[in-house]
Amino acid sequence: MDRKQLSMLLKLMRYSFVFIAIVFFIIPVMGVQLSSMLLAGGVLGIILGIAGQSIVANLISGIFLTLERPIKIGDQVNIDGNAGIIEDITFVSTIIRTFDGLYVRLPNEKVFINNITNYAVNVARRFEYVIGITYDSDAEKAIAIIKDIIDDDPIAFKNPNPTVFVDKLDDNAVNIFIRIWAPSSEWYSVKTRILWVIKKTLEENGIKIALPQRTVWFANSMPANNIENGENGCSISPHP
């Protein structure tokens, strides 16, 4: 049991001990009739039960979250569209610090019933690229270069093996699909670093990254001077 869960368990035990001590020791010593207290407590319990259903639901959900342990403090998670790092888990709410630095408090009932995506619970995480190169570039050479870059990276995993292959022949590009595994704690830094290294290395080796383009063929060829002068109602305007 980690420190935070132990702290929550100790709080629950302390509150239970105080409640038992008040009901069975302090109240009888003060001469208060326990039967009348139970009657008054029953009426009060009904009122509080109706008014505090959400609080009770959050409390029960917090207990189940403590027992099931799908998340813990410091985990990177996404709960109901709130992505960030778990800052605290109490009996009634869960505190998330989003990646934008915002403070988000989620009731434990909402945390318990919603899908939880925990980015840190597994030691490894995969990321993917799709890089398009021009048709006149050497795809086999590009694949070999990308594999060498991954092999030379000190953090990217060699097992599971990274995969690099031609995935699609698109209109303007030969798409190379890349899958790489990395430690969950270093996933984002590895992903951003390797992509930039691939881009620079491909260009240094004469492999061009494909750009969207379109070739227009005219049915009847026209003299270049007529096209430039806009004769026959035709004109061509340069576009960026």
Side-chain angles (χ1 to χ4, degrees):
M1 182 177 294
D2 58 36
R3 181 177 299 178
K4 182 59 183 178
Q5 291 180 325
L6 180 61
S7 176
M8 294 177 64
L9 180 61
L10 291 176
K11 288 179 182 179
L12 181 62
M13 294 174 62
R14 182 166 63 249
Y15 295 150
S16 300
F17 176 77
V18 172
F19 176 77
I20 293 172
I22 292 175
V23 173
F24 293 99
F25 295 99
I26 297 178
I27 292 179
V29 170
M30 296 174 61
V32 179
Q33 294 294 329
L34 188 58
S35 58
S36 60
M37 288 292 298
L38 291 176
L39 179 60
V43 176
L44 181 61
I46 294 174
I47 298 173
L48 293 178
I50 296 174
Q53 290 180 359
S54 60
I55 297 176
V56 175
N58 289 328
L59 178 61
I60 296 175
S61 299
I63 294 173
F64 279 112
L65 287 173
T66 303
L67 296 176
E68 187 180 350
R69 301 177 64 183
I71 55 176
K72 63 180 184 295
I73 294 176
D75 285 352
Q76 298 181 16
V77 300
N78 189 327
I79 303 174
D80 193 30
N82 298 286
I85 300 174
I86 298 293
E87 289 285 312
D88 195 9
I89 304 173
T90 66
F91 281 114
V92 294
S93 64
T94 298
I95 309 302
I96 297 179
R97 175 171 54 85
T98 67
F99 296 121
D100 297 330
L102 302 178
Y103 173 97
V104 178
R105 176 185 177 274
L106 294 176
N108 281 339
E109 182 184 15
K110 190 173 184 179
V111 175
F112 187 72
I113 64 176
N114 274 286
N115 294 329
I116 299 175
T117 302
N118 193 325
Y119 300 115
V121 68
N122 293 325
V123 295
R125 185 176 174 187
R126 192 182 73 184
F127 57 91
E128 301 172 349
Y129 303 131
V130 177
I131 297 178
I133 62 174
T134 57
Y135 273 90
D136 58 352
S137 297
D138 190 341
E140 292 184 356
K141 181 180 179 181
I143 291 175
I145 291 173
I146 294 171
K147 288 182 176 180
D148 290 339
I149 292 173
I150 299 172
D151 290 338
D152 293 339
D153 191 88
I155 301 179
F157 284 167
K158 309 305 180 289
N159 186 22
N161 294 325
T163 54
V164 184
F165 57 92
V166 174
D167 177 60
K168 185 179 180 182
L169 300 178
D170 211 344
D171 294 337
N172 303 314
V174 177
N175 288 337
I176 299 177
F177 194 82
I178 306 166
R179 288 194 181 109
I180 305 172
W181 289 86
S184 297
S185 58
E186 303 291 337
W187 171 84
Y188 186 75
S189 62
V190 176
K191 180 180 179 181
T192 54
R193 182 180 68 253
I194 290 183
L195 180 60
W196 182 246
V197 174
I198 290 175
K199 189 262 185 187
K200 291 196 304 180
T201 308
L202 290 179
E203 291 179 345
E204 291 171 357
N205 286 270
I207 297 174
K208 294 177 288 186
I209 304 297
L211 298 174
Q213 57 184 331
R214 176 174 297 177
T215 302
V216 180
W217 297 86
F218 291 95
N220 298 317
S221 60
M222 300 178 60
N225 58 346
N226 292 341
I227 295 176
E228 293 176 356
N229 296 329
E231 296 182 5
N232 297 327
C234 296
S235 63
I236 294 180
S237 300
H239 294 279

